[in-house]
Each structure stands twice: as structure tokens, then as C-alpha cells.
Amino acid sequence: MRNATTLKSAAVIAAAALLFAGCSGSGGKGHSGMDHSSMGHNMETGSNNATNTGSTERLTGTAFNLTAQVSKQELAPGITLPVWTFNNSVPGPQIRVKQGNTVTINLKNELPAPTSIHWHGVPVPNAMDGIPGVTQNAVQPGETFTYTFKAEAPGTYWYHSHQDSANQTDRGLYGSFVVEAKDGDKPDRDYTLMLDEWVSAGTGDKGENMAGMDHGTMNMSGSNTSGSSDMGDTSSGHGGHGASNEAGMNMGHDMSMYDLFTINGKSGSAVEQLPVKKGEKVRIRLINAGFLSHQIHLHGHEFKVVTSDGQPFNNPAVLKDTLVNIAPGERYDLEFVADNPGQWLIEDHSGGKAGQGLKAVIGYEGASAGTDKPDVSDSLPLLDITRYGEASAAMFTLDQTYSKSYDLELNTAMKNGSMVYTINGSIFPDIPPVNVKKGDTVKVRMVNNSPMDDHPMHLHGHFFQVLSKNGKPLEGSPVIKDTLNLKPGEEYVVAFKADNEGNWMFHCHDLHHAAAGMVAEVKYDDFKTNFVPDPNAGNMPE
């Protein structure tokens, strides 16, 4: 994801600063007594000169330490880029916990900028959601913050920065978070593949002091400032495809600079093989940490998609040679029995040369080199989750009476010469909130009116049930999610129960769209917070 140019490094930060400045006064606990008057951090702070070339670490237990730091990583043979990391790797370590356990994660910030951690999909208490200016103050360089919550919902989740997240997540600040169920069969092999996109052509140099930038004179009209950098800069190898490059783009997002796709921070021949033995049950957890959708094909085996966003499908059907589309922020778990010895690919069919690097080999132990080849040009069916699995009793129905009903009309617009992404014609923080009371049942109709852009909408702190697509009720299993992708022209109706008090974000997980306005809030009427925002913390919740 990180990069050579600074389209994103400058312009998206400018956009976020302009759009979210009001958030610094919205409540929370944390570094309220800190003196931030000297936030001109040395951009060399936290540099790590060692290049990471190893595997993703797996951490288990109940107490964990994560250090956010600048590093560099070899993503493909001959391609090493500057990255921002948790524990000196992209992805950061996988955190695996047991359902029902209370976990503690200590974050130490050795970056040259403030940061935070959001637990994507995990229904945490509001104070632990990791949103600067909304639930906490951003964690300053050299400071620490402790997240504590009970892991109650089993499934596949992930964590990432939510401070200036269009930039920081793009640079590599993410990792996987797995809650293992108390009951149920466990697979013999359990692999997690985090998908991402990068710009391979070197590094850029934002160069600005994040606290001292004059955002008032910056616009997002397509400027491109490039320069040299070293390991301590705040540029990314992801490249900036944010709002700065969108004006004049036919009201759409140009993503073509993303020319290097990765699995667990590696591309092409650098991706680690997935060993299996004949007869084993194998689970593959797919997590999209990037900004592009990927269509995944598992070769040589029948399989089931057992969960979406960590939540199970009811009696999922057996599939073969079927693509699974995974949008930004989504997760899908695939399971199969290793019954076809050889070496088989799991690969991306989303197209383009970059997609050729997003593939891994499933290798049977003892098998000689296989003859399986990429088949990205083949026309294969795409899984339709609205018709997958078997119907069963669910919490909500389309025609029941709801306590509250809301419409979210998603669109693209020009505002003061810049591209913005709107909800009901407005941009954050001017979008009226979704107001609820604890115990309410809430129905939300979402429509994507943008002419070209997908909008993967993510609700914090809650799961929602998908009730209909384009006016047609779901035909298969109940579908429970926290992130749902809407393509241009699509309409979905979802419902959730207001059972987790707080102030929660509901936003597009193409984080550049969020930084350019596409953020709503779900606010509980009677919720009281002890959080006090520090106006000098540099809080940037997107």
C-alpha cells in the first residue's frame, strides 16, 4: 500500500484535518494533561534500520504488547519499501485469544506521529474503540495506551490505526485478531491471509510537520509533490490515491498506481507456501486490509465459505471454482478438506498485472512441484452471499416494525474544487447522526449513488443483519456482518440492535472516501462519556 508519491501523504492529511477538526471536541479520556505545544516531532523518531523478511508472528494468551514503529520491509524480490509497523512487521503479529477471555493490549508509540488502534469488527466497549477525538485522544510519540476488553464474539477480525487511517493503515499499521470459539471443531491447519496493495516505485517525502501544517491553504485538486526520503519519513509505499487525485477523474477514484498486491506483506514468489497433509481440514481466513476488492479463487478443491466478517453462514453449500469477492474491511473464512495431493494456487482474479502477485501455493507435504497454473483469464461464477446457505430463524425480518429507520444516500460530489464523498448530501461532521436509544431495533437503507466508486460501509461496535439487496429479500442463510460493500447503483437494507452504548462511527472503508467526508455517527441518546478531548492532540479520526 505505501509509496513513491505524496498524493495521499499531503492531500488526504489536509482533507482529514479540514473535515475532522471538529472531532477534537467530542469527548473521551486519555492524555488530557499533556503539553503538545512542541509536536514538531523529528521524522527520524522510531526508525528501525533492519529490513523485515520473516513470517507473521502469532501471539496467544491474554496480555499483549504492540509497538508502533517505522521500519522497512522487502515486499517482493528486489522491492524494499519504508513501512509503518506494529512490532516491526507488516502485517503486525496475529493476536489469537479465547472466547470469553478479557484481553489487555499495551500500545507503545515510537512513530513520529500520533496513532491509535481500532479493533475492526470486535464489539468492544466504546472507550476501547480507538477513535481519536471520539473515544480517546491520539497516542502521542513516546506515549502508551492500554486497551482492555472481553473477547465475546468468536471470529476473524483485524486491528489497524484509526488516526489519519487513510495514511497510517495504508503504510502498514494493521494486523489480524482471531477469537477462538469455546466449542466446535478446530481445523487441522489454520491460515490467515491479509490482502493489500502497494505502490512499488520508491518513496515520497511529505516533509510537513503534522502539527504545524497549514491545512487552510491546501486543496485536493490533483497536486503531486514528490521528493526523496529515508526510513524516518512519513511517506508511505502505498501511494496516494486520495481525494487529491480525484478531481477531474470523471467523479471516480483512480487506483492504477497500486501496482504491487501482497499476501501478508509479500508478493509473488516471496509469499510463503501453505503446507497441508492429505485428509486434513484446512481453514483459510481472508482479510482485506487494502482499498481494492479482490476476487479469490481456490484451485483444485471443493470448499465452503463458513463465515463472513467472523459470523457463520447456516449450512453453507459446497463450492468449486467459484470466486469469493472480498471488499476493503471484509473477512471471509474458507474451509476445505485436503483431498487432492499436489501443489495448488489460491489467487486473485481481480485483474491486471498487479493481481499476479497476489497468490499463494497450497503445497501437500511430500508432493513434487505441481503443474497448476494461474487461470485469471477464466470466466468463473462469483459467490452471491444473498443466496448462499440455508434460511433459518434470524433476529430481524424485512417487514417487522422497527424502533428507528434511517436512509443513507451515498454519493460523490465536488465541493470548493475538491472531490468529496457524501452521505445524504453532506460530509462529516455535518451529517446528521443516526440517533438511537439502548434496546432500539434500527433499520438502515443504504444506496450507492456514486457513478463509479464502491463503498464498503463499516459499522463500529455492532453487527448488522443484511435483509435485502436491490429490493429483494435474502434467499439463503441469514447474513450477519459489520462491513458491507455497495457497488454503484446498489441498495441494501440492514438492521441492528442498539445494544452497545456509545458514540460509534459508520463509514466507508475505502478510507480515502471516509477522509473526504463519508462518515456518519451512531449516537446513543442517553450515553454519557468521561472522555475529554485534548484540542492539542492532533486527533484525526479518519
Side-chain angles (χ1 to χ4, degrees):
M1 293 159 95
R2 297 69 258 208
N3 115 329
T5 63
T6 57
L7 291 174
K8 179 170 62 187
S9 295
V12 173
I13 287 178
L18 290 168
L19 293 168
F20 294 110
C23 282
S24 63
S26 60
K29 98 183 169 182
H31 317 282
S32 57
M34 293 175 59
D35 178 10
H36 304 290
S37 60
S38 59
M39 280 182 59
H41 309 300
N42 186 330
M43 294 297 103
E44 297 280 347
T45 301
S47 292
N48 187 329
N49 291 322
T51 299
N52 176 53
T53 58
S55 304
T56 301
E57 184 179 13
R58 179 180 290 188
L59 304 178
T60 61
T62 58
F64 308 92
N65 295 311
L66 295 177
T67 300
Q69 59 192 146
V70 176
S71 186
K72 55 184 177 180
Q73 182 158 308
E74 185 180 52
L75 302 184
I79 301 177
T80 297
L81 295 179
V83 291
W84 285 16
T85 72
F86 290 114
N87 293 12
N88 195 37
S89 71
V90 180
Q94 178 173 93
I95 297 176
R96 293 183 75 99
V97 302
K98 303 291 186 182
Q99 182 185 9
N101 282 355
T102 296
V103 299
T104 300
I105 303 100
N106 301 303
L107 168 63
K108 182 179 181 181
N109 184 11
E110 294 183 355
L111 295 170
T115 194
S116 74
I117 298 178
H118 168 60
W119 308 95
H120 185 113
V122 185
V124 299
N126 190 238
M128 296 292 103
D129 199 38
I131 315 303
V134 179
T135 66
Q136 69 171 88
N137 289 308
V139 183
Q140 303 301 308
E143 298 295 326
T144 62
F145 189 93
T146 298
Y147 297 91
T148 301
F149 52 87
K150 189 173 183 179
E152 297 184 293
T156 302
Y157 307 99
W158 62 301
Y159 61 92
H160 61 85
S161 170
H162 224 290
Q163 163 74 6
D164 183 24
S165 55
N167 271 316
Q168 293 195 5
T169 301
D170 209 27
R171 295 171 187 166
L173 284 176
Y174 62 80
S176 57
F177 187 86
V178 174
V179 181
E180 297 179 345
K182 292 179 180 178
D183 305 313
D185 295 334
K186 294 185 178 180
D188 300 299
R189 305 273 184 163
D190 191 332
Y191 295 112
T192 300
L193 306 184
M194 297 198 77
L195 316 180
D196 202 356
E197 314 91 27
W198 304 70
V199 174
S200 66
T203 61
D205 183 11
K206 178 171 71 68
E208 292 91 357
N209 176 331
M210 292 185 72
M213 289 173 64
D214 179 9
H215 303 293
T217 61
M218 299 180 69
N219 62 43
M220 299 179 285
S221 60
S223 62
N224 179 2
T225 306
S226 61
S228 61
S229 71
D230 58 25
M231 284 307 305
D233 75 356
T234 60
S235 68
S236 71
H238 256 166
H241 67 270
S244 63
N245 198 31
E246 290 171 0
M249 297 302 296
N250 296 319
M251 300 297 281
H253 228 159
D254 179 13
M255 310 292 272
S256 61
M257 69 283 298
Y258 283 90
D259 63 347
L260 185 67
F261 292 1
T262 58
I263 295 176
N264 295 339
K266 303 293 181 181
S267 185
S269 62
V271 178
E272 291 190 345
Q273 189 173 112
L274 311 178
V276 301
K277 290 181 180 179
K278 186 177 180 180
E280 289 182 329
K281 183 167 74 172
V282 183
R283 176 173 286 215
I284 297 180
R285 304 173 188 266
L286 300 171
I287 302 173
N288 191 343
F291 299 142
L292 297 172
S293 291
H294 297 282
Q295 296 181 355
I296 302 302
H297 178 209
L298 172 63
H299 289 212
H301 297 81
E302 295 182 335
F303 68 96
K304 295 180 180 180
V305 180
V306 292
T307 71
S308 172
D309 294 350
Q311 310 313 302
F313 288 105
N314 181 54
N315 197 17
V318 174
L319 303 168
K320 189 173 183 181
D321 293 329
T322 299
L323 302 179
V324 179
N325 187 75
I326 177 168
E330 286 189 314
R331 293 89 63 210
Y332 286 97
D333 286 14
L334 281 53
E335 280 193 356
F336 67 95
V337 175
D339 58 3
N340 192 9
Q343 293 192 352
W344 301 97
L345 294 174
I346 180 168
E347 64 173 348
D348 182 17
H349 276 231
S350 59
K353 183 178 179 181
Q356 298 175 15
L358 202 157
K359 60 176 177 286
V361 174
I362 299 168
Y364 282 70
E365 293 187 3
S368 58
T371 58
D372 188 27
K373 296 181 180 179
D375 60 2
V376 295
S377 62
D378 290 359
S379 179
L380 298 177
L382 188 66
L383 174 66
D384 181 358
I385 64 171
T386 70
R387 304 177 64 184
Y388 185 60
E390 291 186 357
S392 64
M395 180 176 291
F396 301 111
T397 62
L398 192 59
D399 57 358
Q400 75 181 67
T401 300
Y402 287 87
S403 308
K404 301 283 180 64
S405 294
Y406 288 91
D407 290 339
L408 300 182
E409 300 272 349
L410 315 176
N411 213 335
T412 309
M414 297 299 296
K415 184 178 178 67
N416 298 325
S418 300
M419 184 76 73
V420 295
Y421 292 92
T422 66
I423 298 178
N424 297 338
S426 298
I427 59 175
F428 186 86
D430 298 324
I431 299 168
V434 174
N435 291 310
V436 301
K437 292 182 179 179
K438 187 174 182 180
D440 279 351
T441 54
V442 186
K443 182 171 71 173
V444 180
R445 171 182 165 270
M446 296 184 287
V447 182
N448 183 358
N449 294 318
S450 290
M452 298 179 66
D453 290 302
D454 286 10
H455 296 306
M457 296 298 292
H458 171 52
L459 174 61
H460 288 213
H462 304 75
F463 298 112
F464 53 76
Q465 181 182 333
V466 182
L467 300 177
S468 70
K469 177 183 179 181
N470 298 333
K472 297 180 180 180
L474 268 63
E475 298 178 19
S477 167
V479 175
I480 312 299
K481 295 178 66 61
D482 56 70
T483 306
L484 179 64
N485 191 46
L486 286 81
K487 292 184 174 298
E490 287 186 339
E491 173 191 295
Y492 282 90
V493 175
V494 304
F496 68 93
K497 185 172 183 179
D499 57 4
N500 191 6
E501 288 185 293
N503 295 321
W504 302 98
M505 302 190 92
F506 195 173
H507 66 92
C508 181
H509 219 274
D510 181 329
L511 296 174
H512 300 89
H513 296 178
M518 193 169 279
V519 180
E521 287 186 280
V522 174
K523 291 190 172 184
Y524 282 68
D525 292 344
D526 300 323
F527 176 68
K528 305 294 182 184
T529 178
N530 294 321
F531 167 61
V532 178
D534 184 344
N536 298 313
N539 293 323
M540 297 173 67
E542 278 298 352

